[in-house]
Amino acid sequence: MLEQLLIFTRGGLILWTCKELGNALKGSPIDTLIRSCLLEERSGAASYSYDAPGAAYTLKWTFHNELGLVFVAVYQKILHLLYVDDLLDMVKREFSEIYDPKRTVYNDFDETFRQLRKEAEARAEEMKRTKQVGKPVNNMLGKKQGQQQRLAQDGGNKKNSDGSEADGDDSGKNYKLENGHNNGNLTEENAVANGKGNASSNTGAFDVNKLQKLKSKGGKKADAVPGKGGKKSDTLASNGLKPEPKKKLTKKNRVWDDSPPPAKLDFTDPANEGVDKHIEPITIDQGESMMDKEEVLSSDSESEGEDEAEEDNKVATKKKGWFSSMFQSIAGKDNLERADLEPALKALKDRLMTKNVAEEIAEKLCESVATSLVGKRLASFTRISSTVQTAMEEALVRILTPRRSIDILREVHASKEQRKPYVIVFVGVNGVGKSTNLAKVAYWLQQHNVSVMMAACDTFRSGAVEQLRTHARRLQIPIFEKGYEKDPAVVAKEAIQEATRIGSDVVLVDTAGRMQDNEPLMRALSKLINLNSPDLVLFVGEALVGNDAVDQLSKFNQKLADLSNSQNPRLIDGILLTKFDTIDDKVGAALSMVYISGAPVMFVGCGQSYTDLKKLNGKSIVKTLLK
């Protein structure tokens, strides 16, 4: 049953809702649709699933781009209403005829909607009835084929029982030979034929010589294989001896000198477990962090974008011809159609993919842009390619604009007023630079007079604690460590307790690198997050990856959601993008990560020193992607 149907403007003004339905929606599916789908440029999708405690809805929508209207239908997720798409199209067509921008109340549309709904339901029932009528036809065809097969079998039986080659049916004969039957007796040749497959029986003739050759070859192969009826196994069996199992070769530890090797590679001193306060200071002065410097955009990007738009226009006008394109750009076009947009969208998709945007993301973005432009009137002296370019630019800016506050310093001071440390957990796959960029964040926080403590919770990788201890010594920051082979969730909890006791403002938790498919390590990460409830979960990812970024982030979020015991599981809050200085203009990984997770890029690593950490400039990324 349809729960609700709403009509509202793109500005958010509700023009009409179906009073006849009158169902109070649980939760806020419409608000969630606008925030998570329409504003995030996912409007090209077919539907949206809303899941909340006690509520599960499916939402479908359509746009009238020329009038700026949105039509949304809501129904229970468990139902499969076939008439919703048809109903939305009819409502869109009828309402657009009576729409007046000066009106805000449309009570006269109730009766029209009632008639449209009955018509859509009747049409859906008719289609369902037509499909049901078609089923007996298929059943009769199946029965007919079964009868033909039985007749073929009967013909084969008659032939075999009579012993005459003239009577019977060839198909029946082949059927009997394929199944190894000959008047109820299974012959040796037929047994071999069945063991080799039905390929020889499909040739029509029954060649005994070929079957005997196959049998002899098969016997020789079986004798040649030890342990499968061959001579070697028969000899061992006759002597009553069992074959000796192969010994597993183990690699011996290399001895570098006369001293015996250590039992394990754990050189941490148990006496120094806990907070290492007596750190040997190393004086460093690397200057101001790039986080506090504003990036200035070059003015050349706009002219380059215009040149690219000119090239796209040439591609888009190949099929239509020069005169028709120029006439449309001067006089304007009544309504844009999908075919008009396809050339420019294809050029944009190819460009995004060359900039390392995942193919799936590029396709969804182009689909969303097409949905927002179909039906719109092309303004005078405006090319289709430039219209598509502008729409894509606006879409990318909306995606890269953070939906949540990314002012960490303000949140740190808010936690300080509550007398508790601000906890940041760094997670990610192997080798992306979690520990190095954790030290960069610590250096930036130090410059703002924030006291920091590091927590060495990577108890899995050899050398991880020593690496973090080196950064702590250089930055003169206390580090909490417990060595290796410890539960990282417990280590993080004790580190937070110690930070609370000594008055540290921020705790930076380093975790082990793990692939998104590693079940045990993902379970340990979920335990760490659920037990300690950090203020910020940062996913550290490389700017070098393309399609793999989508797989990494989506599976990290999925694992954290599946392994959590809470109804509102904790997912990735933000992204730290590393190795940004190595990719030139291939900045598409940032867009792919933000699009797939909805989490903002909060830090960008762009070098080897502690100062090489900066904010992501969304406008700069968009210009780079589209130039």
Side-chain angles (χ1 to χ4, degrees), residues 519 522-531 533 556-571:
E519 182 75 20
M522 288 303 300
R523 193 174 295 278
L525 177 62
S526 177
K527 179 183 176 181
L528 187 149
I529 294 175
N530 293 331
L531 182 63
S533 299
F556 257 80
N557 272 333
Q558 187 64 42
K559 286 292 184 182
L560 291 177
D562 293 342
L563 298 174
S564 175
N565 297 325
S566 174
Q567 291 184 349
N568 297 317
R570 187 65 181 276
L571 304 179

Coordinates of all heavy atoms in Angstrom, one line a residue, residues 519 522-531 533 556-571:
E519 N 38.9 -10.7 8.1 CA 37.8 -10.8 9.1 C 38.3 -10.6 10.6 O 37.8 -9.9 11.3 CB 37.1 -12.1 9.0 CG 35.9 -12.3 9.9 CD 34.7 -11.5 9.5 OE1 34.6 -11.0 8.4 OE2 33.9 -11.3 10.4
M522 N 39.4 -7.0 11.2 CA 38.3 -6.1 11.2 C 37.4 -6.2 12.5 O 36.9 -5.3 13.0 CB 37.4 -6.3 10.0 CG 38.1 -5.9 8.7 SD 38.5 -4.1 8.6 CE 36.9 -3.4 8.9
R523 N 37.3 -7.4 13.0 CA 36.6 -7.7 14.2 C 37.3 -7.0 15.4 O 36.6 -6.4 16.3 CB 36.5 -9.2 14.5 CG 35.5 -9.5 15.6 CD 35.3 -11.1 15.6 NE 34.7 -11.6 14.4 CZ 33.4 -11.6 14.2 NH1 32.6 -11.1 15.0 NH2 33.0 -12.1 13.0
A524 N 38.6 -7.0 15.4 CA 39.4 -6.3 16.5 C 39.2 -4.8 16.4 O 39.1 -4.1 17.4 CB 40.9 -6.7 16.4
L525 N 39.2 -4.3 15.2 CA 39.0 -2.9 15.0 C 37.6 -2.4 15.5 O 37.4 -1.4 16.1 CB 39.2 -2.5 13.5 CG 38.9 -1.0 13.2 CD1 39.9 -0.1 13.9 CD2 39.0 -0.8 11.7
S526 N 36.6 -3.2 15.1 CA 35.2 -2.9 15.6 C 35.1 -2.9 17.1 O 34.5 -2.1 17.7 CB 34.2 -4.0 15.0 OG 32.9 -3.7 15.5
K527 N 35.8 -3.9 17.7 CA 35.8 -3.9 19.2 C 36.5 -2.7 19.8 O 36.0 -2.1 20.8 CB 36.6 -5.2 19.6 CG 36.7 -5.4 21.2 CD 37.5 -6.6 21.5 CE 37.6 -6.7 23.1 NZ 38.5 -7.8 23.5
L528 N 37.6 -2.2 19.2 CA 38.3 -1.0 19.7 C 37.4 0.2 19.6 O 37.3 1.0 20.6 CB 39.5 -0.8 18.9 CG 40.5 0.3 19.3 CD1 41.9 -0.1 19.0 CD2 40.1 1.7 18.7
I529 N 36.6 0.3 18.5 CA 35.8 1.5 18.3 C 34.6 1.4 19.3 O 34.2 2.4 19.9 CB 35.3 1.6 16.9 CG1 36.6 1.9 16.0 CG2 34.3 2.7 16.7 CD1 36.3 2.0 14.5
N530 N 34.0 0.2 19.4 CA 32.8 0.1 20.2 C 33.1 0.2 21.7 O 32.3 0.7 22.5 CB 32.1 -1.3 20.0 CG 31.5 -1.4 18.6 OD1 31.1 -0.4 18.0 ND2 31.5 -2.6 18.0
L531 N 34.3 -0.2 22.1 CA 34.6 -0.2 23.5 C 35.0 1.2 24.0 O 34.7 1.6 25.1 CB 35.8 -1.1 23.8 CG 36.3 -1.2 25.2 CD1 35.2 -1.8 26.1 CD2 37.6 -2.1 25.3
S533 N 34.5 4.3 22.0 CA 33.7 5.4 21.5 C 34.5 6.7 21.2 O 34.3 7.7 21.9 CB 32.6 5.8 22.5 OG 31.7 4.6 22.7
F556 N 35.0 -1.3 4.7 CA 35.3 -0.9 6.0 C 34.0 -0.5 6.7 O 33.7 -0.9 7.9 CB 36.3 0.3 6.0 CG 37.7 -0.1 6.4 CD1 38.5 -0.7 5.4 CD2 38.2 0.1 7.6 CE1 39.8 -1.1 5.7 CE2 39.5 -0.3 8.0 CZ 40.3 -0.9 7.0
N557 N 33.2 0.3 6.1 CA 31.9 0.8 6.7 C 31.0 -0.4 6.9 O 30.3 -0.5 7.9 CB 31.3 1.8 5.8 CG 31.7 3.2 6.2 OD1 32.1 3.5 7.3 ND2 31.7 4.1 5.2
Q558 N 31.0 -1.3 5.9 CA 30.1 -2.5 6.0 C 30.5 -3.4 7.2 O 29.6 -3.9 7.9 CB 30.1 -3.2 4.7 CG 29.0 -4.4 4.6 CD 27.6 -3.9 4.7 OE1 27.3 -2.8 4.0 NE2 26.8 -4.5 5.5
K559 N 31.8 -3.6 7.3 CA 32.3 -4.5 8.4 C 32.0 -3.8 9.8 O 31.6 -4.5 10.7 CB 33.8 -4.8 8.2 CG 34.1 -5.7 7.1 CD 33.6 -7.1 7.5 CE 34.0 -8.2 6.4 NZ 33.5 -9.5 6.7
L560 N 32.2 -2.5 9.9 CA 32.0 -1.8 11.1 C 30.5 -1.9 11.5 O 30.1 -2.0 12.7 CB 32.5 -0.4 11.1 CG 34.0 -0.2 11.0 CD1 34.3 1.3 10.9 CD2 34.7 -0.8 12.2
A561 N 29.6 -1.8 10.5 CA 28.2 -1.9 10.7 C 27.8 -3.3 11.1 O 27.0 -3.5 12.0 CB 27.4 -1.4 9.5
D562 N 28.3 -4.3 10.4 CA 27.9 -5.7 10.7 C 28.4 -6.2 12.0 O 27.7 -7.0 12.7 CB 28.4 -6.6 9.6 CG 27.8 -6.3 8.2 OD1 26.7 -5.7 8.2 OD2 28.3 -6.7 7.2
L563 N 29.6 -5.8 12.4 CA 30.2 -6.3 13.7 C 29.8 -5.5 14.9 O 30.2 -5.8 16.0 CB 31.7 -6.3 13.5 CG 32.2 -7.2 12.4 CD1 33.7 -7.1 12.3 CD2 31.9 -8.7 12.7
S564 N 29.0 -4.4 14.7 CA 28.6 -3.6 15.9 C 27.4 -4.2 16.5 O 26.5 -4.7 15.8 CB 28.4 -2.2 15.4 OG 27.9 -1.4 16.5
N565 N 27.3 -4.0 17.8 CA 26.1 -4.5 18.6 C 25.1 -3.4 18.7 O 24.0 -3.6 19.2 CB 26.5 -5.0 20.0 CG 27.5 -6.2 19.9 OD1 27.3 -7.0 19.0 ND2 28.4 -6.3 20.8
S566 N 25.4 -2.2 18.3 CA 24.5 -1.0 18.5 C 23.6 -0.9 17.3 O 23.9 -1.3 16.2 CB 25.3 0.3 18.7 OG 24.5 1.4 18.7
Q567 N 22.4 -0.3 17.6 CA 21.5 -0.1 16.5 C 22.0 1.0 15.6 O 21.6 1.1 14.4 CB 20.1 0.3 17.1 CG 19.4 -0.9 17.8 CD 18.0 -0.5 18.2 OE1 17.6 0.7 18.2 NE2 17.2 -1.5 18.7
N568 N 22.7 1.9 16.1 CA 23.4 3.0 15.3 C 24.9 2.8 15.3 O 25.6 3.4 16.1 CB 23.0 4.4 15.9 CG 21.5 4.7 15.9 OD1 20.9 4.4 14.9 ND2 21.0 5.2 16.9
P569 N 25.4 1.9 14.5 CA 26.8 1.6 14.5 C 27.7 2.8 14.1 O 27.3 3.7 13.4 CB 26.9 0.5 13.5 CG 25.7 0.7 12.6 CD 24.6 1.2 13.4
R570 N 28.9 2.8 14.6 CA 29.8 3.9 14.4 C 30.6 3.6 13.1 O 31.2 2.5 12.9 CB 30.8 4.0 15.5 CG 31.7 5.2 15.4 CD 30.9 6.5 15.5 NE 31.8 7.6 15.4 CZ 32.5 8.1 16.5 NH1 32.4 7.6 17.7 NH2 33.3 9.1 16.3
L571 N 30.6 4.5 12.2 CA 31.2 4.3 10.9 C 32.3 5.3 10.7 O 32.7 6.0 11.7 CB 30.2 4.4 9.7 CG 29.0 3.5 9.8 CD1 28.0 3.8 8.6 CD2 29.4 2.1 9.8

